[in-house]
Amino acid sequence: MTPERPSVPEAPAPVCYRHPGRETHVRCTRCDRPICPECMREAAVGHQCVECVAEGRRSVRRPRTVLGAPARAGARPVVTYTLIGLCVLAYLGELATDRVFDELAMIGLYRFDGGATIGVAEGEWYRLLSSMFLHQPPDGGSFWITHILFNMYALWALGPQLEQVLGRGRFLALYLLSGLGGSVLAYLLAPGTPVVGASGAIFGLFGAYFVIARRLGTPPGPIVFLLVLNLVITFSVPGISWQGHVGGLVTGTVLAAAYAYAPARHRQAVQIAATAAVLVLLVVLTAVKTTELV
């Protein structure tokens, strides 16, 4: 008579590590933990759990441009469109009332007949920035409308490309500091002359485009022709603030060079330091000129 074999208890069915009440026979191909259908994520081979998928995403380095900006193929140039919108809104304000021009235009120091004074030297430092969003008003001459049209076209043509390769933060810093550089040079050399326009910032984009084109090995011929043409117009047409144009061009070119040629190992630190250094220099020059005028 054959003795009966002792019965072996069946092993309990595995349960999902995140949902203990759900039985499952599928395991994560990365950590081998049981996962239910809700926790499954398709992988190249089999399925992975939620935590392993998240960890894998963190370990993957996002592609970046040569200048260190996140590579966003097809991304909308949000900063460019926002700057254009602000300039258009400011111009509509100029058309509605003269106070917009009078209170926001860049002027270093102006004395009225009664003895009252206005300007940056009187503490209205915001004029250095607000003026780059204004443009020549209708009573400013026969070419008033071309002022904003040309600047907005140049911003629309150059802005998206520079914003993509620089990244939104660097592009915005370059634009604003170029415009500020133009205002500061106008403040230093012609403090009594009202100055408005995005031209300083636009010339900064011209200089940046040239530097970045050289850095990427792109022929800079077209931008050089456009830059030379605009410089000729700047110095040949009366009523144009050449100080604003040159100040923006120099600032944009210097800052773009720091962005484009920063060493890869310390790229972000060098770019931040360059941005801060340019800002500090412009602030110091403004403070020195203010002390002289006051």
Short mmCIF file of all heavy atoms in Angstrom, two decimals, residues 121-183:
data_model
loop_
_atom_site.label_atom_id
_atom_site.label_comp_id
_atom_site.label_asym_id
_atom_site.label_seq_id
_atom_site.Cartn_x
_atom_site.Cartn_y
_atom_site.Cartn_z
N ALA A 121 17.32 112.15 -13.98
CA ALA A 121 18.11 112.77 -12.92
C ALA A 121 17.25 113.21 -11.74
O ALA A 121 17.77 113.40 -10.63
CB ALA A 121 18.88 113.97 -13.47
N GLU A 122 15.95 113.35 -11.97
CA GLU A 122 15.03 113.74 -10.90
C GLU A 122 14.37 112.53 -10.25
O GLU A 122 13.34 112.66 -9.58
CB GLU A 122 13.96 114.68 -11.46
CG GLU A 122 14.49 116.05 -11.83
CD GLU A 122 15.04 116.80 -10.62
OE1 GLU A 122 14.39 116.79 -9.56
OE2 GLU A 122 16.14 117.37 -10.74
N GLY A 123 14.92 111.36 -10.45
CA GLY A 123 14.41 110.16 -9.82
C GLY A 123 13.47 109.35 -10.68
O GLY A 123 12.99 108.29 -10.24
N GLU A 124 13.21 109.80 -11.91
CA GLU A 124 12.30 109.07 -12.80
C GLU A 124 13.09 108.03 -13.61
O GLU A 124 13.11 108.05 -14.84
CB GLU A 124 11.56 110.05 -13.70
CG GLU A 124 10.69 111.03 -12.92
CD GLU A 124 10.09 112.12 -13.80
OE1 GLU A 124 10.57 112.30 -14.94
OE2 GLU A 124 9.16 112.79 -13.34
N TRP A 125 13.74 107.12 -12.90
CA TRP A 125 14.62 106.13 -13.52
C TRP A 125 13.87 105.20 -14.45
O TRP A 125 14.46 104.61 -15.37
CB TRP A 125 15.33 105.31 -12.44
CG TRP A 125 14.37 104.64 -11.51
CD1 TRP A 125 13.92 105.12 -10.32
CD2 TRP A 125 13.72 103.38 -11.71
NE1 TRP A 125 13.03 104.25 -9.74
CE2 TRP A 125 12.89 103.17 -10.58
CE3 TRP A 125 13.75 102.41 -12.70
CZ2 TRP A 125 12.10 102.04 -10.43
CZ3 TRP A 125 12.97 101.28 -12.57
CH2 TRP A 125 12.15 101.10 -11.44
N TYR A 126 12.55 105.02 -14.20
CA TYR A 126 11.76 104.11 -15.02
C TYR A 126 11.74 104.52 -16.49
O TYR A 126 11.44 103.71 -17.37
CB TYR A 126 10.33 104.03 -14.48
CG TYR A 126 9.65 105.36 -14.37
CD1 TYR A 126 8.99 105.94 -15.45
CD2 TYR A 126 9.66 106.07 -13.16
CE1 TYR A 126 8.38 107.17 -15.35
CE2 TYR A 126 9.04 107.30 -13.05
CZ TYR A 126 8.40 107.85 -14.14
OH TYR A 126 7.80 109.07 -14.04
N ARG A 127 12.03 105.80 -16.77
CA ARG A 127 12.03 106.26 -18.16
C ARG A 127 13.08 105.51 -18.99
O ARG A 127 12.92 105.37 -20.21
CB ARG A 127 12.32 107.76 -18.21
CG ARG A 127 11.19 108.63 -17.67
CD ARG A 127 11.58 110.10 -17.70
NE ARG A 127 10.54 110.98 -17.22
CZ ARG A 127 9.61 111.55 -17.99
NH1 ARG A 127 9.62 111.32 -19.29
NH2 ARG A 127 8.69 112.34 -17.47
N LEU A 128 14.14 105.04 -18.35
CA LEU A 128 15.17 104.29 -19.08
C LEU A 128 14.60 103.00 -19.68
O LEU A 128 15.07 102.55 -20.73
CB LEU A 128 16.32 103.96 -18.14
CG LEU A 128 17.15 105.14 -17.61
CD1 LEU A 128 18.04 104.69 -16.46
CD2 LEU A 128 17.98 105.75 -18.73
N LEU A 129 13.61 102.41 -19.02
CA LEU A 129 13.01 101.17 -19.49
C LEU A 129 11.72 101.39 -20.26
O LEU A 129 11.49 100.77 -21.30
CB LEU A 129 12.74 100.24 -18.29
CG LEU A 129 13.97 99.71 -17.55
CD1 LEU A 129 13.55 98.96 -16.30
CD2 LEU A 129 14.79 98.80 -18.45
N SER A 130 10.87 102.28 -19.76
CA SER A 130 9.57 102.47 -20.41
C SER A 130 9.71 103.04 -21.81
O SER A 130 8.88 102.76 -22.69
CB SER A 130 8.70 103.41 -19.56
OG SER A 130 9.32 104.68 -19.39
N SER A 131 10.76 103.81 -22.06
CA SER A 131 10.93 104.44 -23.37
C SER A 131 11.12 103.43 -24.49
O SER A 131 10.81 103.70 -25.65
CB SER A 131 12.11 105.40 -23.34
OG SER A 131 13.31 104.71 -23.01
N MET A 132 11.63 102.22 -24.16
CA MET A 132 11.89 101.24 -25.22
C MET A 132 10.60 100.60 -25.72
O MET A 132 10.64 99.85 -26.72
CB MET A 132 12.87 100.17 -24.73
CG MET A 132 12.29 99.17 -23.75
SD MET A 132 13.47 97.86 -23.28
CE MET A 132 14.61 98.79 -22.26
N PHE A 133 9.48 100.88 -25.08
CA PHE A 133 8.20 100.37 -25.55
C PHE A 133 7.37 101.44 -26.26
O PHE A 133 6.30 101.15 -26.78
CB PHE A 133 7.40 99.79 -24.38
CG PHE A 133 8.05 98.60 -23.75
CD1 PHE A 133 8.81 98.72 -22.60
CD2 PHE A 133 7.94 97.35 -24.32
CE1 PHE A 133 9.42 97.63 -22.02
CE2 PHE A 133 8.55 96.23 -23.75
CZ PHE A 133 9.29 96.38 -22.60
N LEU A 134 7.88 102.67 -26.26
CA LEU A 134 7.20 103.76 -26.96
C LEU A 134 7.83 103.98 -28.33
O LEU A 134 8.93 103.50 -28.60
CB LEU A 134 7.31 105.05 -26.15
CG LEU A 134 6.79 105.02 -24.70
CD1 LEU A 134 6.97 106.39 -24.06
CD2 LEU A 134 5.34 104.58 -24.65
N HIS A 135 7.10 104.72 -29.19
CA HIS A 135 7.62 105.06 -30.51
C HIS A 135 7.18 106.46 -30.89
O HIS A 135 6.37 107.07 -30.19
CB HIS A 135 7.17 104.03 -31.56
CG HIS A 135 7.87 102.71 -31.43
ND1 HIS A 135 7.46 101.74 -30.55
CD2 HIS A 135 8.98 102.21 -32.05
CE1 HIS A 135 8.26 100.70 -30.62
NE2 HIS A 135 9.19 100.96 -31.53
N GLN A 136 7.73 106.94 -31.99
CA GLN A 136 7.47 108.31 -32.41
C GLN A 136 5.97 108.56 -32.57
O GLN A 136 5.30 107.85 -33.32
CB GLN A 136 8.20 108.60 -33.72
CG GLN A 136 8.24 110.06 -34.10
CD GLN A 136 9.05 110.26 -35.37
OE1 GLN A 136 9.02 109.43 -36.27
NE2 GLN A 136 9.76 111.36 -35.46
N PRO A 137 5.43 109.56 -31.89
CA PRO A 137 3.99 109.84 -31.99
C PRO A 137 3.63 110.47 -33.33
O PRO A 137 4.51 110.89 -34.09
CB PRO A 137 3.75 110.80 -30.82
CG PRO A 137 5.07 111.48 -30.62
CD PRO A 137 6.11 110.46 -30.94
N PRO A 138 2.33 110.56 -33.65
CA PRO A 138 1.91 111.12 -34.94
C PRO A 138 2.43 112.51 -35.22
O PRO A 138 2.70 112.87 -36.37
CB PRO A 138 0.39 111.09 -34.86
CG PRO A 138 0.09 110.00 -33.89
CD PRO A 138 1.21 110.03 -32.88
N ASP A 139 2.58 113.34 -34.18
CA ASP A 139 3.06 114.71 -34.40
C ASP A 139 4.58 114.80 -34.36
O ASP A 139 5.14 115.89 -34.30
CB ASP A 139 2.48 115.65 -33.34
CG ASP A 139 2.81 115.20 -31.92
OD1 ASP A 139 3.39 114.11 -31.76
OD2 ASP A 139 2.49 115.94 -30.97
N GLY A 140 5.25 113.63 -34.41
CA GLY A 140 6.71 113.63 -34.32
C GLY A 140 7.41 113.74 -35.65
O GLY A 140 8.64 113.77 -35.71
N GLY A 141 6.68 113.80 -36.77
CA GLY A 141 7.31 113.91 -38.08
C GLY A 141 6.56 113.11 -39.12
O GLY A 141 5.61 112.38 -38.81
N SER A 142 7.00 113.24 -40.36
CA SER A 142 6.29 112.60 -41.47
C SER A 142 6.51 111.09 -41.51
O SER A 142 5.76 110.37 -42.17
CB SER A 142 6.73 113.21 -42.80
OG SER A 142 8.14 113.09 -42.96
N PHE A 143 7.54 110.58 -40.82
CA PHE A 143 7.83 109.15 -40.86
C PHE A 143 7.45 108.47 -39.55
O PHE A 143 8.01 107.44 -39.20
CB PHE A 143 9.32 108.93 -41.14
CG PHE A 143 9.77 109.46 -42.48
CD1 PHE A 143 10.43 110.67 -42.56
CD2 PHE A 143 9.50 108.76 -43.65
CE1 PHE A 143 10.85 111.17 -43.80
CE2 PHE A 143 9.91 109.25 -44.87
CZ PHE A 143 10.58 110.46 -44.95
N TRP A 144 6.50 109.01 -38.84
CA TRP A 144 6.18 108.50 -37.51
C TRP A 144 5.72 107.05 -37.53
O TRP A 144 6.12 106.24 -36.69
CB TRP A 144 5.12 109.39 -36.85
CG TRP A 144 3.82 109.48 -37.60
CD1 TRP A 144 3.52 110.31 -38.62
CD2 TRP A 144 2.66 108.67 -37.38
NE1 TRP A 144 2.23 110.11 -39.07
CE2 TRP A 144 1.68 109.11 -38.30
CE3 TRP A 144 2.34 107.66 -36.49
CZ2 TRP A 144 0.40 108.55 -38.37
CZ3 TRP A 144 1.07 107.10 -36.54
CH2 TRP A 144 0.12 107.54 -37.48
N ILE A 145 4.88 106.67 -38.49
CA ILE A 145 4.33 105.32 -38.49
C ILE A 145 5.39 104.29 -38.86
O ILE A 145 5.34 103.13 -38.42
CB ILE A 145 3.13 105.23 -39.46
CG1 ILE A 145 2.38 103.91 -39.26
CG2 ILE A 145 3.60 105.36 -40.91
CD1 ILE A 145 1.77 103.74 -37.90
N THR A 146 6.39 104.69 -39.66
CA THR A 146 7.43 103.73 -40.05
C THR A 146 8.31 103.35 -38.87
O THR A 146 8.94 102.29 -38.89
CB THR A 146 8.31 104.32 -41.17
OG1 THR A 146 8.94 105.52 -40.70
CG2 THR A 146 7.47 104.65 -42.40
N HIS A 147 8.36 104.20 -37.85
CA HIS A 147 9.21 103.92 -36.68
C HIS A 147 8.78 102.61 -36.01
O HIS A 147 9.57 101.69 -35.84
CB HIS A 147 9.13 105.09 -35.70
CG HIS A 147 10.15 105.02 -34.61
ND1 HIS A 147 9.99 105.63 -33.39
CD2 HIS A 147 11.36 104.40 -34.56
CE1 HIS A 147 11.04 105.40 -32.64
NE2 HIS A 147 11.90 104.66 -33.32
N ILE A 148 7.52 102.52 -35.64
CA ILE A 148 7.05 101.31 -34.96
C ILE A 148 6.93 100.14 -35.94
O ILE A 148 7.22 98.99 -35.59
CB ILE A 148 5.71 101.56 -34.25
CG1 ILE A 148 5.32 100.31 -33.44
CG2 ILE A 148 4.61 101.97 -35.24
CD1 ILE A 148 4.13 100.51 -32.55
N LEU A 149 6.56 100.42 -37.20
CA LEU A 149 6.41 99.33 -38.16
C LEU A 149 7.75 98.64 -38.42
O LEU A 149 7.83 97.40 -38.44
CB LEU A 149 5.83 99.86 -39.48
CG LEU A 149 4.36 100.26 -39.46
CD1 LEU A 149 3.94 100.77 -40.83
CD2 LEU A 149 3.47 99.11 -39.02
N PHE A 150 8.81 99.40 -38.61
CA PHE A 150 10.11 98.79 -38.87
C PHE A 150 10.60 98.02 -37.65
O PHE A 150 11.08 96.88 -37.78
CB PHE A 150 11.13 99.86 -39.26
CG PHE A 150 12.53 99.31 -39.35
CD1 PHE A 150 12.94 98.60 -40.47
CD2 PHE A 150 13.44 99.46 -38.31
CE1 PHE A 150 14.21 98.06 -40.55
CE2 PHE A 150 14.71 98.93 -38.39
CZ PHE A 150 15.10 98.24 -39.51
N ASN A 151 10.48 98.62 -36.47
CA ASN A 151 10.98 97.94 -35.27
C ASN A 151 10.23 96.65 -35.00
O ASN A 151 10.82 95.63 -34.63
CB ASN A 151 10.89 98.87 -34.06
CG ASN A 151 12.00 99.91 -34.04
OD1 ASN A 151 13.03 99.74 -34.68
ND2 ASN A 151 11.79 100.98 -33.30
N MET A 152 8.91 96.68 -35.17
CA MET A 152 8.13 95.46 -34.90
C MET A 152 8.41 94.39 -35.96
O MET A 152 8.42 93.20 -35.66
CB MET A 152 6.64 95.79 -34.85
CG MET A 152 6.25 96.67 -33.67
SD MET A 152 6.74 95.99 -32.05
CE MET A 152 8.30 96.88 -31.72
N TYR A 153 8.64 94.81 -37.19
CA TYR A 153 8.99 93.83 -38.23
C TYR A 153 10.34 93.19 -37.92
O TYR A 153 10.51 91.97 -38.04
CB TYR A 153 9.03 94.48 -39.60
CG TYR A 153 9.52 93.54 -40.67
CD1 TYR A 153 8.70 92.54 -41.19
CD2 TYR A 153 10.83 93.64 -41.16
CE1 TYR A 153 9.16 91.66 -42.16
CE2 TYR A 153 11.30 92.76 -42.12
CZ TYR A 153 10.46 91.78 -42.62
OH TYR A 153 10.93 90.90 -43.57
N ALA A 154 11.31 94.01 -37.52
CA ALA A 154 12.64 93.46 -37.19
C ALA A 154 12.55 92.51 -36.00
O ALA A 154 13.18 91.45 -35.98
CB ALA A 154 13.61 94.60 -36.89
N LEU A 155 11.74 92.87 -34.99
CA LEU A 155 11.58 92.00 -33.83
C LEU A 155 10.89 90.70 -34.23
O LEU A 155 11.26 89.62 -33.76
CB LEU A 155 10.77 92.73 -32.76
CG LEU A 155 10.47 91.96 -31.46
CD1 LEU A 155 11.75 91.43 -30.83
CD2 LEU A 155 9.72 92.85 -30.48
N TRP A 156 9.90 90.79 -35.10
CA TRP A 156 9.20 89.59 -35.56
C TRP A 156 10.11 88.70 -36.40
O TRP A 156 10.01 87.46 -36.35
CB TRP A 156 7.98 90.02 -36.37
CG TRP A 156 7.24 88.88 -37.01
CD1 TRP A 156 6.33 88.03 -36.42
CD2 TRP A 156 7.34 88.46 -38.38
NE1 TRP A 156 5.88 87.11 -37.33
CE2 TRP A 156 6.46 87.35 -38.54
CE3 TRP A 156 8.07 88.92 -39.48
CZ2 TRP A 156 6.33 86.69 -39.76
CZ3 TRP A 156 7.93 88.25 -40.69
CH2 TRP A 156 7.07 87.16 -40.82
N ALA A 157 11.03 89.29 -37.17
CA ALA A 157 11.91 88.51 -38.05
C ALA A 157 13.06 87.87 -37.29
O ALA A 157 13.43 86.71 -37.56
CB ALA A 157 12.45 89.41 -39.17
N LEU A 158 13.65 88.59 -36.34
CA LEU A 158 14.83 88.09 -35.64
C LEU A 158 14.50 87.41 -34.32
O LEU A 158 15.21 86.49 -33.90
CB LEU A 158 15.81 89.25 -35.37
CG LEU A 158 16.39 89.98 -36.57
CD1 LEU A 158 17.29 91.11 -36.11
CD2 LEU A 158 17.15 89.03 -37.47
N GLY A 159 13.44 87.88 -33.67
CA GLY A 159 13.14 87.40 -32.33
C GLY A 159 12.95 85.90 -32.20
O GLY A 159 13.58 85.27 -31.34
N PRO A 160 12.09 85.28 -33.02
CA PRO A 160 11.86 83.83 -32.84
C PRO A 160 13.12 83.00 -32.96
O PRO A 160 13.32 82.03 -32.21
CB PRO A 160 10.87 83.51 -33.96
CG PRO A 160 10.14 84.79 -34.20
CD PRO A 160 11.18 85.87 -34.01
N GLN A 161 14.00 83.34 -33.89
CA GLN A 161 15.23 82.55 -34.06
C GLN A 161 16.16 82.70 -32.87
O GLN A 161 16.72 81.71 -32.37
CB GLN A 161 15.94 82.99 -35.34
CG GLN A 161 15.10 82.84 -36.61
CD GLN A 161 15.82 83.36 -37.82
OE1 GLN A 161 16.88 82.87 -38.20
NE2 GLN A 161 15.25 84.38 -38.47
N LEU A 162 16.32 83.93 -32.40
CA LEU A 162 17.19 84.16 -31.24
C LEU A 162 16.58 83.57 -29.98
O LEU A 162 17.30 83.02 -29.13
CB LEU A 162 17.43 85.65 -31.06
CG LEU A 162 18.30 86.32 -32.13
CD1 LEU A 162 18.36 87.82 -31.93
CD2 LEU A 162 19.72 85.73 -32.11
N GLU A 163 15.27 83.67 -29.84
CA GLU A 163 14.62 83.11 -28.66
C GLU A 163 14.78 81.60 -28.59
O GLU A 163 14.95 81.02 -27.51
CB GLU A 163 13.14 83.49 -28.65
CG GLU A 163 12.39 83.03 -27.41
CD GLU A 163 10.96 83.51 -27.38
OE1 GLU A 163 10.62 84.45 -28.12
OE2 GLU A 163 10.16 82.94 -26.60
N GLN A 164 14.76 80.95 -29.75
CA GLN A 164 14.90 79.49 -29.78
C GLN A 164 16.30 79.06 -29.39
O GLN A 164 16.48 78.11 -28.60
CB GLN A 164 14.56 78.95 -31.15
CG GLN A 164 14.65 77.43 -31.24
CD GLN A 164 14.25 76.90 -32.61
OE1 GLN A 164 14.07 77.66 -33.54
NE2 GLN A 164 14.14 75.60 -32.73
N VAL A 165 17.31 79.73 -29.90
CA VAL A 165 18.69 79.30 -29.64
C VAL A 165 19.18 79.78 -28.28
O VAL A 165 20.00 79.12 -27.63
CB VAL A 165 19.63 79.78 -30.76
CG1 VAL A 165 19.84 81.28 -30.71
CG2 VAL A 165 20.97 79.05 -30.69
N LEU A 166 18.68 80.95 -27.81
CA LEU A 166 19.11 81.48 -26.52
C LEU A 166 18.29 80.95 -25.36
O LEU A 166 18.78 80.84 -24.24
CB LEU A 166 19.02 83.00 -26.52
CG LEU A 166 20.08 83.78 -27.30
CD1 LEU A 166 19.69 85.25 -27.39
CD2 LEU A 166 21.44 83.64 -26.64
N GLY A 167 17.03 80.63 -25.62
CA GLY A 167 16.12 80.32 -24.53
C GLY A 167 15.39 81.59 -24.12
O GLY A 167 15.86 82.71 -24.33
N ARG A 168 14.24 81.43 -23.52
CA ARG A 168 13.39 82.58 -23.22
C ARG A 168 14.04 83.55 -22.22
O ARG A 168 13.97 84.76 -22.39
CB ARG A 168 12.04 82.09 -22.69
CG ARG A 168 11.21 81.38 -23.75
CD ARG A 168 10.02 80.66 -23.17
NE ARG A 168 9.25 79.98 -24.21
CZ ARG A 168 8.28 79.12 -23.97
NH1 ARG A 168 7.96 78.80 -22.72
NH2 ARG A 168 7.63 78.55 -24.97
N GLY A 169 14.66 83.00 -21.19
CA GLY A 169 15.27 83.87 -20.18
C GLY A 169 16.42 84.69 -20.73
O GLY A 169 16.49 85.90 -20.51
N ARG A 170 17.34 84.05 -21.44
CA ARG A 170 18.48 84.77 -22.00
C ARG A 170 18.03 85.78 -23.05
O ARG A 170 18.57 86.89 -23.13
CB ARG A 170 19.47 83.78 -22.61
CG ARG A 170 20.12 82.82 -21.62
CD ARG A 170 20.99 81.82 -22.37
NE ARG A 170 21.51 80.78 -21.52
CZ ARG A 170 20.84 79.68 -21.19
NH1 ARG A 170 19.62 79.48 -21.66
NH2 ARG A 170 21.37 78.77 -20.40
N PHE A 171 17.06 85.38 -23.87
CA PHE A 171 16.58 86.29 -24.90
C PHE A 171 15.95 87.53 -24.29
O PHE A 171 16.21 88.66 -24.73
CB PHE A 171 15.57 85.58 -25.80
CG PHE A 171 14.91 86.48 -26.81
CD1 PHE A 171 15.63 86.95 -27.91
CD2 PHE A 171 13.59 86.87 -26.67
CE1 PHE A 171 15.03 87.80 -28.85
CE2 PHE A 171 12.99 87.71 -27.59
CZ PHE A 171 13.72 88.16 -28.68
N LEU A 172 15.13 87.36 -23.27
CA LEU A 172 14.50 88.51 -22.62
C LEU A 172 15.54 89.41 -21.98
O LEU A 172 15.47 90.64 -22.08
CB LEU A 172 13.50 88.02 -21.58
CG LEU A 172 12.74 89.12 -20.82
CD1 LEU A 172 11.92 89.97 -21.79
CD2 LEU A 172 11.83 88.50 -19.76
N ALA A 173 16.54 88.80 -21.31
CA ALA A 173 17.60 89.59 -20.70
C ALA A 173 18.38 90.37 -21.76
O ALA A 173 18.70 91.55 -21.56
CB ALA A 173 18.54 88.68 -19.91
N LEU A 174 18.68 89.72 -22.87
CA LEU A 174 19.42 90.38 -23.95
C LEU A 174 18.62 91.57 -24.50
O LEU A 174 19.17 92.65 -24.71
CB LEU A 174 19.71 89.38 -25.07
CG LEU A 174 20.38 89.93 -26.32
CD1 LEU A 174 21.84 90.23 -26.04
CD2 LEU A 174 20.27 88.96 -27.48
N TYR A 175 17.34 91.36 -24.73
CA TYR A 175 16.50 92.43 -25.29
C TYR A 175 16.41 93.61 -24.34
O TYR A 175 16.64 94.77 -24.73
CB TYR A 175 15.11 91.87 -25.59
CG TYR A 175 14.19 92.86 -26.25
CD1 TYR A 175 14.12 92.93 -27.64
CD2 TYR A 175 13.38 93.71 -25.51
CE1 TYR A 175 13.28 93.84 -28.27
CE2 TYR A 175 12.54 94.62 -26.12
CZ TYR A 175 12.49 94.68 -27.50
OH TYR A 175 11.66 95.59 -28.11
N LEU A 176 16.08 93.35 -23.08
CA LEU A 176 15.89 94.44 -22.12
C LEU A 176 17.20 95.18 -21.83
O LEU A 176 17.22 96.41 -21.75
CB LEU A 176 15.30 93.89 -20.82
CG LEU A 176 13.87 93.32 -20.92
CD1 LEU A 176 13.42 92.77 -19.57
CD2 LEU A 176 12.90 94.38 -21.42
N LEU A 177 18.29 94.45 -21.70
CA LEU A 177 19.56 95.11 -21.41
C LEU A 177 20.08 95.88 -22.63
O LEU A 177 20.72 96.92 -22.47
CB LEU A 177 20.59 94.08 -20.96
CG LEU A 177 20.40 93.53 -19.55
CD1 LEU A 177 21.45 92.48 -19.22
CD2 LEU A 177 20.44 94.66 -18.51
N SER A 178 19.78 95.40 -23.84
CA SER A 178 20.16 96.16 -25.04
C SER A 178 19.39 97.47 -25.09
O SER A 178 19.96 98.53 -25.36
CB SER A 178 19.90 95.33 -26.29
OG SER A 178 20.70 94.17 -26.32
N GLY A 179 18.07 97.40 -24.84
CA GLY A 179 17.28 98.62 -24.80
C GLY A 179 17.75 99.56 -23.70
O GLY A 179 17.83 100.78 -23.89
N LEU A 180 18.09 98.99 -22.54
CA LEU A 180 18.59 99.81 -21.44
C LEU A 180 19.94 100.42 -21.79
O LEU A 180 20.22 101.58 -21.45
CB LEU A 180 18.72 98.94 -20.18
CG LEU A 180 19.21 99.65 -18.91
CD1 LEU A 180 18.27 100.78 -18.52
CD2 LEU A 180 19.35 98.65 -17.77
N GLY A 181 20.78 99.65 -22.49
CA GLY A 181 22.09 100.19 -22.90
C GLY A 181 21.94 101.38 -23.83
O GLY A 181 22.68 102.36 -23.73
N GLY A 182 20.96 101.31 -24.74
CA GLY A 182 20.70 102.45 -25.62
C GLY A 182 20.23 103.67 -24.84
O GLY A 182 20.65 104.80 -25.09
N SER A 183 19.34 103.45 -23.86
CA SER A 183 18.84 104.56 -23.05
C SER A 183 19.96 105.18 -22.21
O SER A 183 20.03 106.41 -22.06
CB SER A 183 17.71 104.07 -22.14
OG SER A 183 16.59 103.63 -22.89
#
